Amino acid sequence: MSSSGPWWRLSAVAALALLLSSACASAHELNGVRVLEGAKRRSFEPGAVAERSVGAIGVVVTDTGRGLGFVVDPGGYMITNRHVVEDADYIDMVSFPGLDPAPEFTQVEIVYIDPVRDLALLRIESEAPLPYLALATGKRAPASHYVAERDAVVLLSREVGPDEAAALEHDPGLLAHTGRVERLEVYNPTVGPGPYLGVSAQIEQGQSGGPVLDRYGRAVGVVTWTWKDQKGGFAIPISEAARMLAERPKLGTSGEQQQRAEDRVKAYLAALGAGSGGELRRLTSPSRAREVRGETVDVLLERSIEGTILQSFVTSIDELLAEAARGGNDPTPMFEGMVDYTSSDAFMRKLGVEGSMSKHAVVTFFYELGSAYMAARWYGNYDRHDALMLAVQRVHSLEAARSITVLSTIDELGGLRAVVERVEVRPGFYTPQAVATVDVGSGKKISVQMRLEWGDWYVVSVEGSGAPVRLQPAGVQSSPIGRQE
């Protein structure tokens, strides 16, 4: 396997020893997750960093793919990427090829998925404490507070796939790659809010969710994305993972669930009043997004491919980028004009969805697909085929489906004046549900349906009697709401 620096094939470690001693680190709790904050007291050679850390790094296998994750609490809490688990129906197992024998855990829960960052928190059920990694910081802080450009780093990857490993008499384990921090602030809005850490160590498919380790053995980042044919890759700063842990809502009691449901519905209505698409997207149910994807994205992909519309669309983007490169211009304004045309009646008829699908869905589809394609071609130097595959992957994501849901909701209910009358939490067959009754004036009321998913309340639908309500933006007013203890 190629890498940008020296690499080691790590032998399985024989003990479940803690990775850093308490003498050189401090531990504190972040919403029930006890993390170790490592100190810069002893520097190790890259091989030693890898050997000390490998036991805490697991392979996360789902019904749709695989990635890496790393344990941050001996009680079994593990950090990984959101994209590793968000589209899976279930987690098949988490294995630890760096331990001897290599354990496999099938009881794994998705505790929380960050709605903004590409991060997720898992919980592995284990009778014994698990090896874990120290974090460079357990606080919200700029990356420059704990890592610097040119700092040496170590990344690990799976040498073989899980199926191949199962057929071998001895699991070859993980490979360690060395590199350096190249940039502290890298931005790519097509994959999420930045900044990201840029590292020179090669990142390949299957490494998502793994740690970036510094010479002290601390996790300074979470591997998340890379550009094809460009060396290195990018990671979410570990302070953002600590921030996720700190912001995760407490839902252990019925009272906490009730209060959180009330807060979430008020936030949703406030976002509707302000027309805040980003906030509404963050609060939209992932299960509802899956439904929307099937109803709209799958249909639009099929129609656009059959009618060669997709081919014409990306050809126009290629021409736009070529013109921008010759003139040194920003291609974004022209691209936005192209996307606006997809809402025209003529385009809807050509696509064959006039009268059966909202213009919001069509515009969002082509915006998400086109922006991802343009970024891959313009910034990532992808060829046409690979850029299109990346764009299709993006438009098929839950984030794109949420965007479609959000725009339709804003069109129907944007700018409403809302008074929350009551919120009722109900036990569901699979998961708790909540229903908020909301007075929107003129004797009209709407019902906001919510579901507890991925460790928080998300809005599934907004229902009301009669025609959609359209009022002037005024935010959300609060009225007394009963508590259930």
Side-chain angles (χ1 to χ4, degrees):
M1 178 178 294
S2 64
S3 67
S4 57
W7 60 269
W8 294 265
R9 181 173 287 104
L10 301 174
S11 58
V13 296
L16 295 174
L18 297 182
L19 303 175
L20 290 176
S21 68
S22 58
C24 62
S26 61
H28 62 279
E29 187 173 292
L30 296 173
N31 275 348
V33 180
R34 188 168 178 80
V35 299
L36 195 68
E37 188 171 329
K40 293 183 177 181
R41 295 186 181 177
R42 183 180 177 186
S43 178
F44 298 93
E45 293 297 321
V49 168
E51 289 286 0
R52 292 168 62 88
S53 306
V54 66
I57 299 170
V59 179
V60 181
V61 182
T62 74
D63 62 310
T64 59
R66 68 184 181 95
L68 296 180
F70 56 98
V71 178
V72 296
D73 180 324
Y77 285 104
M78 166 179 275
I79 288 175
T80 186
N81 281 150
R82 179 179 63 185
H83 76 259
V84 169
V85 296
E86 72 172 347
D87 214 19
D89 290 326
Y90 59 89
I91 296 177
D92 185 49
M93 69 170 181
V94 175
S95 63
F96 289 86
L99 297 175
D100 187 13
E104 297 178 352
F105 297 92
T106 57
Q107 299 298 312
V108 184
E109 175 190 5
I110 300 176
V111 176
Y112 183 65
I113 286 187
D114 193 312
V116 177
R117 312 166 193 92
D118 186 16
L119 295 169
L121 180 66
L122 311 181
R123 176 72 183 275
I124 301 168
E125 288 191 19
S126 173
E127 296 180 358
L130 295 176
Y132 61 104
L133 289 180
L135 308 185
T137 182
K139 306 176 184 66
R140 180 179 178 179
S144 59
H145 285 199
Y146 52 87
V147 67
E149 291 184 1
R150 306 306 301 163
D151 276 0
V153 293
V154 175
L155 282 71
L156 292 99
S157 66
R158 193 76 159 96
E159 184 172 4
V160 297
D163 294 336
E164 184 181 351
L168 298 175
E169 183 176 351
H170 298 289
D171 192 324
L174 301 174
L175 287 176
H177 307 259
T178 62
R180 293 190 178 276
V181 175
E182 291 196 324
R183 288 179 288 173
L184 293 182
E185 294 189 2
V186 180
Y187 294 87
N188 184 351
T190 63
V191 296
Y196 296 92
L197 296 176
V199 297
S200 64
Q202 187 63 37
I203 291 176
E204 300 176 357
Q205 186 176 9
Q207 279 184 264
S208 293
V212 178
L213 303 165
D214 67 7
R215 64 181 183 275
Y216 305 102
R218 310 175 308 169
V220 297
V222 184
V223 174
T224 184
W225 63 279
T226 187
W227 285 125
K228 182 184 178 183
D229 298 331
Q230 290 190 12
K231 70 172 185 176
F234 303 90
I236 299 171
I238 203 64
S239 52
E240 291 298 293
R243 181 178 177 183
M244 173 192 70
L245 297 177
E247 292 177 352
R248 183 171 64 98
K250 296 180 180 179
L251 300 172
T253 67
S254 59
E256 289 171 342
Q257 289 188 12
Q258 178 78 29
Q259 182 61 60
R260 182 63 175 177
E262 294 171 11
D263 293 343
R264 295 284 274 183
V265 73
K266 290 176 184 176
Y268 187 86
L269 294 168
L272 266 179
S276 175
E279 181 70 2
L280 288 171
R281 186 165 52 246
R282 187 175 68 84
L283 295 165
T284 297
S285 160
S287 62
R288 174 55 186 155
R290 284 192 181 193
E291 294 173 3
V292 168
R293 181 171 60 189
E295 297 165 358
T296 59
V297 174
D298 292 345
V299 173
L300 289 170
L301 271 175
E302 182 179 353
R303 296 288 179 87
S304 60
I305 292 173
E306 287 179 351
T308 69
I309 293 174
L310 183 59
Q311 181 179 350
S312 298
F313 184 70
V314 298
T315 297
S316 297
I317 294 178
D318 286 334
E319 293 171 352
L320 173 64
L321 294 178
E323 182 180 343
R326 286 193 298 268
N329 302 320
D330 181 1
T332 304
M334 290 294 293
F335 167 71
E336 291 176 347
M338 289 173 52
V339 173
D340 286 342
Y341 173 70
T342 65
S343 67
S344 68
D345 293 338
F347 188 86
M348 296 283 287
R349 285 193 297 271
K350 185 177 181 181
L351 198 57
V353 296
E354 186 181 27
S356 63
M357 189 173 295
S358 74
K359 292 182 178 180
H360 294 301
V362 175
V363 169
T364 305
F365 172 86
F366 281 97
Y367 176 80
E368 294 284 348
L369 186 143
S371 59
Y373 179 85
M374 189 166 66
R377 295 281 277 159
W378 187 254
Y379 299 108
N381 295 326
Y382 277 56
D383 62 28
R384 181 186 175 98
H385 175 270
D386 289 342
L388 184 56
M389 293 300 100
L390 188 69
V392 169
Q393 181 181 356
R394 168 63 187 175
V395 82
H396 211 260
S397 69
L398 293 190
E399 278 299 291
R402 279 173 156 174
S403 296
I404 292 172
T405 305
V406 162
L407 284 177
S408 298
T409 304
I410 290 177
D411 182 56
E412 294 176 1
L413 295 167
L416 55 77
R417 180 190 299 272
V419 178
V420 180
E421 290 189 346
R422 64 181 179 275
V423 176
E424 180 183 358
V425 176
R426 305 169 179 173
F429 186 75
Y430 294 106
T431 184
Q433 300 178 9
V435 180
T437 302
V438 181
D439 186 339
V440 294
S442 302
K444 297 183 181 295
K445 295 183 181 182
I446 61 174
S447 174
V448 181
Q449 313 285 327
M450 293 185 290
R451 186 177 297 149
L452 190 60
E453 303 177 82
W454 288 350
D456 210 346
W457 290 105
Y458 291 92
V459 173
V460 178
S461 63
V462 181
E463 302 169 2
S465 58
V469 182
R470 297 177 185 274
L471 297 172
Q472 295 301 312
V476 178
Q477 302 173 12
S478 297
S479 61
I481 300 175
R483 295 265 198 281
Q484 293 182 349
E485 298 294 342

